[in-house]
Amino acid sequence: MFNGGSQLLQSILEVNTTGLTGQIKFTPDGNLINPAFEVINVIGTGTRTIGYWSNSSGLSLDPPDNVIWPGQTTQKPRGWVFPDNGRKLRIGVPDRGTFREFVGVKGTEFTGYCIEVFQAALNELPYGVPYKFVAFGDGITNAESKELLHRVQIGELDGVVGDITITTSRTKMVDFTQPYIESGLVVVAPIRKTNSSAWAFLRPFSPMMWGVTGIFFLVVGAVVWILERRTNEDFRGRPRRQFVTIIWFSFSTLFFSQNEKTGSTLGRFVLIIWLFVVLIINSSYIARLTSILTVEQLSSPVKGIESLVNGNDPIGFPRGSFAENYLTDELNIHKSRLVPLNSPEEYEKALKDGPSAGGVAAVIDERAYMELFLSVRCGYSIVGQEFTKMGWGFAFPRDSPLAIDMSTAVLKLSEKGDLQKIHDKWLKKSACSAEGAKQAVDRLSLSSFWGLFLLSGIACFLALVLHVLRMVHQYYRHYDSDCESSQAKSLRSFISFVNKREEEVKSRTNRRTEKASNKIVHDQDSSSIDGLSQSSSSSGLSTTTNVTARPDVVNIGAIFTFDSVIGKIAKLAITLAVEDVNSNPEILNGTKLTLKMQNTKSSDFLGIIEALQFTENDTVAIIGPQYSATAHVISHIADELKVPLLSFAATDPTLSPNQFPFFVRTTRSDLFQMAAVADLVGYYEWRDVIAIYVNDDFGRNAIAALGDKLSVKRCKISYKVPLSPKTTKDEIRKALISVSLMESRIVILHIYTSWGLQVLTEAQSQMMMSSPYVWIATDWFSTIIDSDPSLPSAKTDDMQGVLTLKMYTPESELKKKFKLRWSNLTGTRRVNGSSFGLNTYGLYAYDSVWLLAHALDSFFANGGNISFANDSNLHKLRGGKLNLDALKKFNGGSQLLQSILEVNITGLTGQIKFNPDGNLINPAFEVINVIGTGTRTIGYWSNSSGLSLDPPDKSQRKLHSKGSSTDTQRLYSIIWPGQTTQKPRGWVFPDNGRKLRIGVPNRVSYHEFVGVKGTDEFTGYCIEVFQAALNELPYGVPFQFVPFGDGKNNPENSELLHRIQIGEFDGVVGDITITTSRTKMVDFTQPYIESGLVVVAPIRKTNSSAWAFLRPFTPMMWGITGIFFLVVGAVVWILERRTNEDFRGHPRKQFVTIIWFSFSTLFFSQKEKTGSTLGRFVLIIWLFVVLILNSSYIASLTSILTVEQLSSPVKGIESLANSNDRIGFLKNSFAENYLTDELNIHKSRLVPLNSPEEYEKALKDGPNAGGIAAVIDERAYMELFLSVRCGYSIVGQEFTKMGWGFAFPRDSPLAIDMSTAVLKLSERGDLQKIHDKWLMKSACSAEGAKQAVDRLPMRSFWGLFLLSGIACFLALVLHVLRMVRQYYRFHDSDCDSSQARRLRSFVSFVNKREEEVKRRTKRRRTEKASNKVVQDQDSSSIDGLDECMTAN
């Protein structure tokens, strides 16, 4: 030994000089300072340095764009390819029994929405993907998605395509793409018409409308009374009777049932106008009431998920879906209320039957299914809100690059609008809308009624023709005709005949006896209308036995540390095993094992020397070594000399048979133990752990394996604490202090048994054995406990709540007998004052001897001989003092090694058999919790089934019987440090921890999404969702919000995301849209709100005009209708005038009669009787036409008033893109690039706007006044914009499918964990609650002006009242003028009388009947005339007398 070696070593480590390589100086870790590397690109025949890397600054230059990659290309390689082995990716497709519009499987043909989206996304990838679809399920019952995804986990499938919902639990199994369709859970229930309130009949009109209508009824009644009272006995009588008549007449017009005849022209004029007004008002009332009772009164006893949860009715759900667990776990609905259903037909039947007849009150399923269900079933509706926010995605194995690339491809499809096109192709139905049936409203045109008018016209024409023929026939039959008379005279004679009454013609005919009276026969025909009316196989080893001579003795060795916790047990176990083998004649057939044990005393050097010494006595195999570091060195010797090493305690996973063929591990590798630890961490949803480990091969390599296993679980080792193999108490204390400063509180302890308890003791002194710490010790701790069972009671406070692993060995009769034997042997034996308990390493040591014995037996049976030879590689070392050339190589070593690896026996530890990797099969561990003064097994871990409450052998039996291992992993409850049963969160805010800098856009508007006040107050929907998601994480995230932008101009999102790329921000929270280009910069979470691009434009209500009542008919229709009224009136007058007194009289009276009769048929109130057959025939046809017209008018007006006609010149993105109008967009948003790049809209048409106020102003101005025709922005903004601005609406479809997400650096685990947290919020309904809190407004609906039914206002009818008022006014004026004229014409007036007397005289005149005035006037004229004659006679007599007197 070199006495000055330590001093020289210290001198070497303290050197600080400059050499050819630069500064030569060592760090405390023993490495040269300032490590750095050049990055070189091989180009052509030379090389080129393209950058540098150093440990302090990383890459000093970004890799240039012109790096020449292999293949002479400058394009950055993707970094991976699909292996060219001819294997196609196996893509699982659920073969469901229903909803084949989503996924349809017919043999080898796969169709449907999901399939087409997947294929379209594959076409967007920049590389080819060989794949084939594999159907999963029988096509009758719905396949379980969980089982399908498990096939991806175990490698049976490479992906899954179908209607697979992204849920929290499923994200732990596979990686999902971004969702390609939204589909949260909704409630569907039957809808019914509910009874209206007792006063619902008042709702169609506003109070003002009711008042004005009542007043006009009275006014019109009074006007008609004034016009008719002088000429019509119906309007005369006592004052009270006349008052009642006014009331009765006016309101009876409402039903067109007035019995009082109106004879005056002016009275009829007023009444015609008023009856038309009443018709319109009546029709509008019926239309509005119909609208109220039809639209508003469709309801369901189920109001939404809340009422359903609080009730006791049975609830249907799709069998095999995640909905069942959600309803029971999240909403606490008892399973007895849940009814599994398999198909839409079962949905419909159960809903029809209802809960009282064994059905269900409602069905809960995903919106995508329910919209398809409702599209052809109009008797049901979605009630309440969508209470989860979920989506469907494609599933791939964890960390598959396809998940990321396919997410980008899905975004591309959305941005191009292809996703919407595929949706419309497969899922758009027309029978019903998703919420019920929708009906479009059009004005009624002439084309809808020309048949009716044709029928009426033909009837009129035929009646006229028959009437003329009849007149001609009567004329020539009953009248004498003079053949010699002129044609003009004959025509005048015929006209005179036609103008005569029928009675005159008949009386003249009766006087003639030449011919009999006419007989008229009428035939009637009738017609009838007829109507109509879906194994396992096992294999074993066959050994060929060759009888050969066996040696009497075989030398074997054992090398380990005798005084260690493991070594002291192993020494006795190995001794007992050799004794048992030698005493069993069936094993080696008389050959005895000779054992030589060497004590390494925890020295690797002694292990080397002792291993070399074994070769002196022809040792064929060595049991050991104990330590992994020793095994690394001795394995080289074993490989060279062909001597197998059977280690029962070296667990380093890097001790691989590939590197060390003669190293045989007869215990469990730490690779599996670290997998068990990683599963524990993942089970409790922790993400960061701290590893304290021994700094040698045993510790470093195991922790490296732990890091790999944790990464699969999306976890990581955030802090590593290596301790020297011979650490001191002071080093342990310093290490624990550094641990206490970290954020994570999950500590993994992988150290040696010799000083492991010192770490726990020191942790207790540092107050680190209480909440919220979690201590997970590897099997070194369980080994100490097993070796000294009294240990927990002696050091209770140092161990409480610790979790530890222990290699699982199944219980057996052989094991029980050995444990009893061990107890009897060691009951009084103590080592270093401690108990001598049996640990698992002792069991593996015992089995190692039996394993070797069986291998030797097979070796001899197969003709193996024990012989040794000099190693030719050592000849050059001949002559040295160490005599290394004397070392001999075992000639049969390779054969013996093969025999060892082929052994298949059952020992104390269970089945002993090796897999092709050289590890024992069925690795498993117990999970133990130290509680009180003892321990408790809380579960098991195995490589096949993971964590389980059952022992691995029982779990294996379940696995084989069920063919699945998808049962939820479980453990019993744990008492954690601090005597708590509540699962620790696993993190705290460290005293010196750096907070994440989360960028927040400081925008000008829409502060409901993100509101920034100063530098410390951040509010809004996005902020609250982010904070709620953070609270769902199983670890803490110290962070601080950092505003980005000045609050006066909207910051550019691309610049904000770039700050993440350069490391200035650790994340971004805000209204950040997930786009294809942005996914190349950062990683996004799953979207927490959907927000595709929409078009918003001004709208107008087309039914608010005062002349809205004209809208049901087109102008042409109104004109033709009016003409036909007159034509029919004229035809009936022609047919009736000769036989009907009602149609005779003065020409002016007959003209008024024609007008009155024709238009009175509109109200079925014609008073003139029709007696002729032809007249009645025409009238019957015409009244049928009027009935159809009236009904159609009311129906059309009903439709117009039910669905408000909100129209806009802009119909959607297509019409906008094809026009030349200016378009507004949000400044600095991605919309500008999308409009120019994807839709090819010229930039000159785009107008950047900053705020909703600018939106509104530009839309109001319009394109003709410097404004815009429409705004294109995201739906989330526009719904908020429209919620308080009712003059605008979203027009057309949402033409992109996008969403907002939180942004983090590439490959950040926070992006994945926050995605899971967002899904949790959605599943629990918290996301919807936050949405309603910030974004639910009530002024207008989300689509702009409200679509609900309003009461009819006065402004819709002032035109009608104006028309009626003008008619009344004109009639009164003309009536007064007529009265004044009659008064001065027919009444005496005394010029000398006073004005008051004249007024009373005029009033008295007006109050007289028309007949009285006419009779009095006629009498006075007669009296005047007679008086004048008398006066003339008297005056002539006087004149004669005077003349006589004069003559006399």
Side-chain angles (χ1 to χ4, degrees):
M1 181 172 65
F2 177 32
N3 293 329
S6 297
Q7 184 178 355
L8 177 59
L9 174 63
Q10 187 62 31
S11 297
I12 292 173
L13 294 176
E14 292 176 354
V15 166
N16 186 358
T17 184
T18 302
L20 296 177
T21 59
Q23 186 178 11
I24 303 173
K25 184 180 179 181
F26 293 92
T27 65
D29 296 334
N31 293 307
L32 288 171
I33 65 172
N34 302 329
F37 292 87
E38 288 185 62
V39 183
I40 296 175
N41 184 207
V42 178
I43 305 173
T45 59
T47 61
R48 172 172 172 257
T49 299
I50 62 171
Y52 302 90
W53 178 91
S54 69
N55 193 42
S56 58
S57 59
L59 292 172
S60 59
L61 294 174
D62 292 331
D65 293 336
N66 59 347
V67 174
I68 307 299
W69 302 101
Q72 298 296 311
T73 178
T74 59
Q75 184 177 1
K76 185 194 78 172
R78 187 171 69 252
W80 64 277
V81 295
F82 290 102
D84 190 14
N85 55 5
R87 189 182 79 86
K88 295 181 178 179
L89 294 185
R90 292 171 56 84
I91 306 298
V93 177
D95 187 3
R96 302 198 184 280
T98 56
F99 294 115
R100 296 187 180 274
E101 292 86 349
F102 295 107
V103 180
V105 179
K106 295 181 181 178
T108 59
E109 183 181 355
F110 298 83
T111 59
Y113 170 72
C114 302
I115 299 297
E116 189 163 340
V117 171
F118 176 76
Q119 292 170 332
L122 283 182
N123 293 334
E124 295 293 330
L125 299 182
Y127 51 86
V129 178
Y131 71 95
K132 64 177 180 179
F133 289 128
V134 179
F136 181 82
D138 56 10
I140 301 174
T141 58
N142 290 331
E144 289 195 12
S145 297
K146 187 177 181 182
E147 176 62 25
L148 184 55
L149 296 177
H150 176 66
R151 302 299 175 94
V152 178
Q153 267 189 309
I154 63 178
E156 184 177 324
L157 296 174
D158 302 296
V160 169
V161 171
D163 43 353
I164 309 298
T165 306
I166 305 171
T167 66
T168 306
S169 58
R170 292 174 181 174
T171 57
K172 299 175 182 177
M173 304 170 66
V174 295
D175 279 355
F176 283 98
T177 62
Q178 289 282 337
Y180 57 88
I181 186 174
E182 293 302 306
S183 187
L185 290 176
V186 294
V187 178
V188 168
I191 55 176
R192 66 184 184 190
K193 293 183 179 180
T194 60
N195 294 327
S196 184
S197 71
W199 306 102
F201 65 88
L202 295 176
R203 294 174 58 198
F205 289 161
S206 63
M208 174 66 76
M209 182 65 184
W210 280 116
V212 172
T213 303
I215 292 171
F216 257 83
F217 269 107
L218 297 176
V219 168
V220 171
V223 169
V224 172
W225 174 78
I226 294 172
L227 299 175
E228 293 289 324
R229 63 180 302 275
R230 298 183 67 248
T231 61
N232 195 333
E233 287 295 330
D234 291 338
F235 291 89
R236 298 192 63 83
R238 298 175 59 187
R240 187 177 68 175
R241 179 181 179 276
Q242 295 182 56
F243 177 75
V244 172
T245 299
I246 292 173
I247 302 298
W248 168 254
F249 177 83
S250 61
F251 283 98
S252 65
T253 60
L254 179 62
F255 315 105
F256 312 121
S257 61
Q258 64 281 359
N259 293 321
E260 295 78 8
K261 291 184 178 181
T262 51
S264 68
T265 302
L266 292 177
R268 289 184 172 185
F269 169 71
V270 170
L271 195 57
I272 286 176
I273 299 297
W274 174 243
L275 289 177
F276 178 73
V277 171
V278 169
L279 174 65
I280 301 299
I281 293 176
N282 193 20
S283 302
S284 302
Y285 176 86
I286 295 173
R288 179 60 71 193
L289 190 60
T290 303
S291 172
I292 292 173
L293 298 179
T294 301
V295 175
E296 293 187 348
Q297 301 303 315
L298 294 179
S299 65
S300 169
V302 178
K303 303 305 180 185
I305 188 61
E306 295 81 6
S307 66
L308 202 59
V309 170
N310 296 330
N312 294 314
D313 292 330
I315 305 168
F317 71 93
R319 187 189 299 273
S321 76
F322 73 96
E324 180 179 14
N325 291 335
Y326 179 81
L327 295 174
T328 55
D329 299 343
E330 297 293 338
L331 301 183
N332 299 318
I333 298 176
H334 198 273
K335 277 194 174 184
S336 61
R337 293 180 56 196
L338 302 182
V339 180
L341 303 170
N342 287 309
S343 66
E345 291 73 23
E346 291 189 14
Y347 286 5
E348 187 172 18
K349 183 180 184 302
L351 288 170
K352 276 186 177 179
D353 292 342
S356 59
V360 297
V363 170
I364 292 179
D365 203 349
E366 297 180 71
R367 176 177 284 275
Y369 298 128
M370 290 295 92
E371 288 182 345
L372 203 57
F373 173 82
L374 295 173
S375 66
V376 293
R377 295 171 178 86
C378 306
Y380 313 92
S381 177
I382 293 174
V383 294
Q385 289 182 328
E386 185 178 33
F387 56 95
T388 65
K389 294 290 185 182
M390 297 178 176
W392 294 354
F394 305 126
F396 297 97
R398 300 298 292 269
D399 299 318
S400 169
L402 264 180
I404 299 172
D405 292 351
M406 286 291 282
S407 291
T408 304
V410 167
L411 287 173
K412 285 183 179 179
L413 292 176
S414 173
E415 292 172 2
K416 293 193 302 186
D418 292 345
L419 208 56
Q420 186 64 45
K421 293 177 183 176
I422 300 174
H423 178 278
D424 294 345
K425 172 183 175 182
W426 287 98
L427 307 180
K428 200 166 186 178
K429 302 289 184 179
S430 58
C432 301
S433 71
E435 304 292 338
K438 278 187 179 179
Q439 304 296 334
V441 178
D442 292 323
R443 301 180 73 181
L444 297 175
S445 65
L446 180 62
S447 60
S448 301
F449 298 97
W450 67 265
L452 285 173
F453 289 121
L454 178 64
L455 180 64
S456 182
I458 291 175
C460 293
F461 176 76
L462 290 177
L464 282 176
V465 170
L466 292 175
H467 180 69
V468 170
L469 293 176
R470 181 184 174 205
M471 292 298 100
V472 172
H473 175 72
Q474 284 185 343
Y475 176 73
Y476 283 104
R477 183 179 180 185
H478 302 295
Y479 265 67
D480 292 333
S481 57
D482 187 1
C483 296
E484 297 178 355
S485 62
S486 66
Q487 187 174 3
K489 186 176 180 180
S490 298
L491 181 60
R492 285 195 299 273
S493 175
F494 177 74
I495 293 174
S496 175
F497 168 77
V498 170
N499 196 40
K500 292 181 181 292
R501 296 182 182 180
E502 188 75 12
E503 288 79 3
E504 295 181 25
V505 175
K506 286 183 178 181
S507 62
R508 183 175 180 182
T509 301
N510 290 333
R511 288 195 301 266
R512 297 175 63 95
T513 60
E514 291 82 8
K515 295 181 181 180
S517 61
N518 293 330
K519 180 180 179 182
I520 302 174
V521 179
H522 300 280
D523 299 324
Q524 298 180 345
D525 298 326
S526 61
S527 61
S528 61
I529 302 174
D530 300 326
L532 45 110
S533 49
Q534 165 157 178
S535 35
S536 60
S537 62
S538 60
S539 59
L541 294 172
S542 60
T543 305
T544 303
T545 303
N546 295 327
V547 180
T548 183
R550 292 172 181 256
D552 295 332
V553 175
V554 175
N555 296 322
I556 64 173
I559 181 171
F560 50 89
T561 300
F562 292 170
D563 60 350
S564 66
V565 174
I566 294 175
K568 65 184 180 181
I569 306 298
K571 184 179 180 181
L572 179 56
I574 291 172
T575 301
L576 292 175
V578 172
E579 292 176 359
D580 292 344
V581 169
N582 288 337
S583 63
N584 190 337
E586 297 179 358
I587 300 300
L588 292 174
N589 294 325
T591 300
K592 304 296 183 183
L593 296 180
T594 299
L595 173 66
K596 181 179 181 181
M597 290 189 287
Q598 298 280 8
N599 184 6
T600 61
K601 299 179 182 179
S602 301
S603 170
D604 295 336
F605 176 71
L606 286 179
I608 296 171
I609 299 302
E610 291 165 356
L612 293 174
Q613 288 178 348
F614 282 131
T615 62
E616 294 178 354
N617 59 350
D618 297 337
T619 300
V620 297
I622 299 173
I623 307 296
Q626 175 182 341
Y627 294 105
S628 298
T630 307
H632 273 280
V633 179
I634 296 179
S635 292
H636 290 287
I637 298 174
D639 289 345
E640 185 64 29
L641 301 181
K642 308 299 181 185
V643 178
L645 291 176
L646 283 76
S647 177
F648 59 88
T651 56
D652 179 4
T654 64
L655 286 167
S656 166
N658 293 327
Q659 183 179 4
F660 306 112
F662 280 81
F663 174 82
V664 179
R665 195 193 328 270
T666 58
T667 187
R668 301 301 181 184
S669 169
D670 276 341
L671 180 68
F672 303 110
Q673 182 169 210
M674 294 306 156
V677 172
D679 273 4
L680 274 173
V681 173
Y683 175 76
Y684 289 108
E685 297 182 333
W686 297 314
R687 287 295 176 262
D688 285 355
V689 302
I690 295 173
I692 301 177
Y693 59 97
V694 60
N695 194 13
D696 64 1
D697 293 331
F698 163 74
R700 286 191 303 268
N701 296 332
I703 294 304
L706 175 62
D708 293 340
K709 296 296 183 181
L710 286 174
S711 66
V712 175
K713 303 289 183 182
R714 306 301 175 103
C715 308
K716 67 178 180 179
I717 302 173
S718 59
Y719 188 56
K720 294 181 179 180
V721 185
L723 295 175
S724 169
K726 297 181 179 180
T727 189
T728 64
K729 183 177 180 180
D730 186 57
E731 291 174 344
I732 292 173
R733 184 176 65 256
K734 290 180 180 179
L736 291 177
I737 291 173
S738 67
V739 168
S740 67
L741 297 176
M742 295 297 106
E743 175 185 317
S744 176
R745 286 295 181 262
I746 312 301
V747 182
I748 311 298
L749 208 54
H750 187 62
I751 50 182
Y752 286 137
T753 56
S754 55
W755 46 268
L757 292 179
Q758 295 180 36
V759 176
L760 294 178
T761 302
E762 187 61 31
Q764 174 63 27
S765 66
Q766 296 288 337
M767 305 297 291
M768 297 173 66
M769 293 302 295
S770 60
S771 182
Y773 281 94
V774 174
W775 292 85
I776 301 177
T778 54
D779 64 349
W780 65 268
F781 189 36
S782 62
T783 300
I784 292 177
I785 294 174
D786 287 341
S787 302
D788 189 359
S790 64
L791 184 63
S793 60
K795 296 188 176 182
T796 300
D797 293 339
D798 297 348
M799 303 178 181
Q800 286 302 298
V802 174
L803 292 181
T804 185
L805 297 176
K806 176 183 176 179
M807 288 181 285
Y808 172 73
T809 57
E811 294 298 326
S812 64
E813 193 64 29
L814 184 64
K815 181 180 175 182
K816 289 179 181 179
K817 290 180 180 179
F818 184 78
K819 290 173 71 175
L820 180 60
R821 178 185 175 194
W822 184 274
S823 298
N824 294 333
L825 286 173
T826 62
T828 59
R829 184 184 303 191
R830 299 180 71 83
V831 178
N832 295 331
S834 62
S835 298
F836 206 65
L838 178 63
N839 58 43
T840 52
Y841 286 103
L843 297 176
Y844 279 106
Y846 181 89
D847 280 350
S848 296
V849 176
W850 278 90
L851 168 64
L852 179 57
H854 281 277
L856 284 170
D857 185 54
S858 177
F859 172 75
F860 292 135
N862 285 284
N865 293 308
I866 297 177
S867 62
F868 292 86
N870 292 329
D871 189 351
S872 59
N873 293 330
L874 303 177
H875 288 170
K876 60 182 180 180
L877 302 176
R878 183 178 299 173
K881 292 181 180 181
L882 297 178
N883 293 322
L884 295 177
D885 60 321
L887 297 176
K888 294 181 180 181
K889 182 168 62 175
F890 177 30
N891 293 328
S894 298
Q895 185 179 353
L896 177 60
L897 174 64
Q898 188 62 30
S899 297
I900 291 171
L901 296 177
E902 292 176 354
V903 167
N904 186 359
I905 63 172
T906 300
L908 299 179
T909 59
Q911 186 178 12
I912 301 173
K913 183 181 179 182
F914 294 95
N915 61 25
D917 295 332
N919 291 307
L920 288 172
I921 64 172
N922 301 329
F925 291 84
E926 292 183 56
V927 184
I928 297 172
N929 184 205
V930 178
I931 304 172
T933 58
T935 61
R936 173 172 174 253
T937 298
I938 61 169
Y940 301 87
W941 178 92
S942 69
N943 194 43
S944 58
S945 59
L947 296 171
S948 173
L949 294 174
D950 298 320
D953 48 351
K954 186 176 180 180
S955 296
Q956 282 292 326
R957 289 194 296 271
K958 285 185 177 181
L959 177 62
H960 289 303
S961 64
K962 293 183 178 181
S964 170
S965 62
T966 58
D967 291 339
T968 304
Q969 297 188 353
R970 292 181 58 196
L971 294 174
Y972 290 112
S973 60
I974 296 176
I975 305 296
W976 302 99
Q979 299 294 315
T980 178
T981 58
Q982 184 177 0
K983 185 198 79 172
R985 193 168 189 179
W987 62 273
V988 295
F989 290 108
D991 295 336
N992 62 346
R994 186 183 74 85
K995 293 183 178 181
L996 297 183
R997 290 172 55 83
I998 305 298
V1000 177
N1002 188 8
R1003 299 200 182 280
V1004 178
S1005 55
Y1006 297 117
H1007 292 152
E1008 292 88 347
F1009 294 108
V1010 179
V1012 179
K1013 296 180 181 179
T1015 58
D1016 57 353
E1017 186 177 353
F1018 298 84
T1019 59
Y1021 170 73
C1022 302
I1023 299 296
E1024 188 164 340
V1025 171
F1026 177 76
Q1027 293 170 331
L1030 282 182
N1031 292 333
E1032 294 294 326
L1033 298 182
Y1035 52 88
V1037 179
F1039 70 94
Q1040 63 177 3
F1041 288 128
V1042 180
F1044 181 78
D1046 56 9
K1048 299 177 181 178
N1049 295 291
N1050 291 327
E1052 290 192 13
N1053 286 334
S1054 58
E1055 177 61 27
L1056 182 56
L1057 297 177
H1058 178 65
R1059 302 297 176 96
I1060 296 179
Q1061 279 188 302
I1062 63 178
E1064 183 176 331
F1065 288 146
D1066 302 295
V1068 167
V1069 172
D1071 42 355
I1072 309 298
T1073 305
I1074 305 171
T1075 65
T1076 306
S1077 59
R1078 291 172 181 174
T1079 57
K1080 300 175 183 178
M1081 304 169 64
V1082 295
D1083 279 355
F1084 283 99
T1085 63
Q1086 288 283 335
Y1088 57 88
I1089 186 175
E1090 291 302 306
S1091 187
L1093 289 176
V1094 294
V1095 178
V1096 169
I1099 57 173
R1100 63 187 179 192
K1101 293 184 180 180
T1102 56
N1103 67 332
S1104 59
S1105 166
W1107 308 102
F1109 64 88
L1110 296 175
R1111 286 174 52 215
F1113 290 161
T1114 60
M1116 175 66 74
M1117 180 66 181
W1118 280 115
I1120 296 297
T1121 302
I1123 292 172
F1124 258 84
F1125 270 108
L1126 297 176
V1127 169
V1128 170
V1131 169
V1132 172
W1133 173 79
I1134 294 172
L1135 298 175
E1136 293 289 325
R1137 63 180 301 275
R1138 299 185 66 248
T1139 61
N1140 197 330
E1141 287 294 329
D1142 290 338
F1143 291 89
R1144 299 190 65 84
H1146 192 273
R1148 187 180 68 176
K1149 177 177 180 295
Q1150 294 183 56
F1151 176 75
V1152 172
T1153 299
I1154 292 173
I1155 303 298
W1156 166 255
F1157 177 84
S1158 62
F1159 283 98
S1160 65
T1161 58
L1162 180 63
F1163 319 108
F1164 311 113
S1165 60
Q1166 65 282 359
K1167 301 301 180 182
E1168 294 78 8
K1169 295 180 180 180
T1170 52
S1172 67
T1173 302
L1174 292 177
R1176 289 183 175 182
F1177 169 71
V1178 170
L1179 195 59
I1180 286 175
I1181 298 298
W1182 176 244
L1183 289 178
F1184 175 74
V1185 172
V1186 169
L1187 175 64
I1188 299 300
L1189 289 175
N1190 195 12
S1191 302
S1192 301
Y1193 177 87
I1194 294 175
S1196 179
L1197 191 61
T1198 300
S1199 299
I1200 291 173
L1201 297 179
T1202 300
V1203 181
E1204 288 188 343
Q1205 298 296 296
L1206 302 177
S1207 65
S1208 171
V1210 179
K1211 303 304 179 185
I1213 187 60
E1214 295 81 5
S1215 66
L1216 197 61
N1218 295 330
S1219 69
N1220 293 317
D1221 292 332
R1222 287 151 52 94
I1223 305 169
F1225 69 94
L1226 184 63
K1227 188 176 182 180
N1228 292 333
S1229 74
F1230 75 96
E1232 179 179 15
N1233 291 334
Y1234 180 81
L1235 295 175
T1236 55
D1237 299 343
E1238 296 292 338
L1239 302 182
N1240 299 317
I1241 296 175
H1242 198 273
K1243 278 193 174 184
S1244 61
R1245 293 179 55 196
L1246 302 182
V1247 180
L1249 303 170
N1250 281 308
S1251 66
E1253 292 73 24
E1254 291 189 15
Y1255 284 7
E1256 187 172 20
K1257 182 180 184 303
L1259 288 170
K1260 278 186 177 179
D1261 292 343
N1264 296 328
I1268 57 176
V1271 167
I1272 292 180
D1273 205 347
E1274 297 180 72
R1275 176 177 284 274
Y1277 297 131
M1278 291 295 91
E1279 287 181 345
L1280 201 60
F1281 173 82
L1282 295 174
S1283 66
V1284 293
R1285 296 171 177 87
C1286 305
Y1288 312 93
S1289 176
I1290 293 174
V1291 292
Q1293 288 184 329
E1294 185 178 25
F1295 55 94
T1296 65
K1297 295 287 185 182
M1298 297 178 176
W1300 295 353
F1302 305 126
F1304 297 97
R1306 298 299 296 269
D1307 301 319
S1308 169
L1310 264 180
I1312 298 167
D1313 293 349
M1314 288 290 282
S1315 291
T1316 304
V1318 167
L1319 287 174
K1320 284 184 179 179
L1321 293 176
S1322 173
E1323 291 170 5
R1324 289 208 310 260
D1326 293 343
L1327 208 57
Q1328 186 64 44
K1329 292 177 184 176
I1330 300 173
H1331 177 278
D1332 295 345
K1333 172 184 175 181
W1334 287 98
L1335 307 180
M1336 187 69 75
K1337 302 290 184 180
S1338 59
C1340 301
S1341 72
E1343 298 294 336
K1346 60 182 178 179
Q1347 305 294 323
V1349 178
D1350 292 329
R1351 305 175 78 179
L1352 292 174
M1354 178 63 193
R1355 67 174 179 271
S1356 298
F1357 296 95
W1358 68 262
L1360 282 174
F1361 289 120
L1362 178 63
L1363 183 64
S1364 181
I1366 291 174
C1368 292
F1369 176 75
L1370 289 176
L1372 282 175
V1373 169
L1374 293 176
H1375 180 68
V1376 169
L1377 293 176
R1378 181 184 174 203
M1379 291 299 99
V1380 172
R1381 178 173 175 273
Q1382 283 184 343
Y1383 177 73
Y1384 283 105
R1385 182 177 180 183
F1386 301 111
H1387 207 271
D1388 292 335
S1389 58
D1390 188 358
C1391 297
D1392 298 332
S1393 62
S1394 65
Q1395 187 173 3
R1397 185 175 179 183
R1398 286 199 301 273
L1399 180 61
R1400 284 195 301 271
S1401 176
F1402 177 74
V1403 171
S1404 175
F1405 170 77
V1406 169
N1407 195 41
K1408 292 179 186 236
R1409 296 182 183 179
E1410 187 78 12
E1411 289 77 2
E1412 291 182 27
V1413 173
K1414 289 183 177 180
R1415 285 197 302 269
R1416 183 177 178 183
T1417 302
K1418 186 176 182 181
R1419 187 170 59 249
R1420 293 194 61 180
R1421 285 179 178 175
T1422 303
E1423 291 176 353
K1424 285 183 178 182
S1426 61
N1427 290 334
K1428 185 177 180 181
V1429 171
V1430 172
Q1431 289 176 1
D1432 291 342
Q1433 291 176 352
D1434 291 341
S1435 61
S1436 60
S1437 299
I1438 294 172
D1439 293 338
L1441 181 60
D1442 289 340
E1443 291 177 357
C1444 292
M1445 291 177 65
T1446 304
N1448 291 328

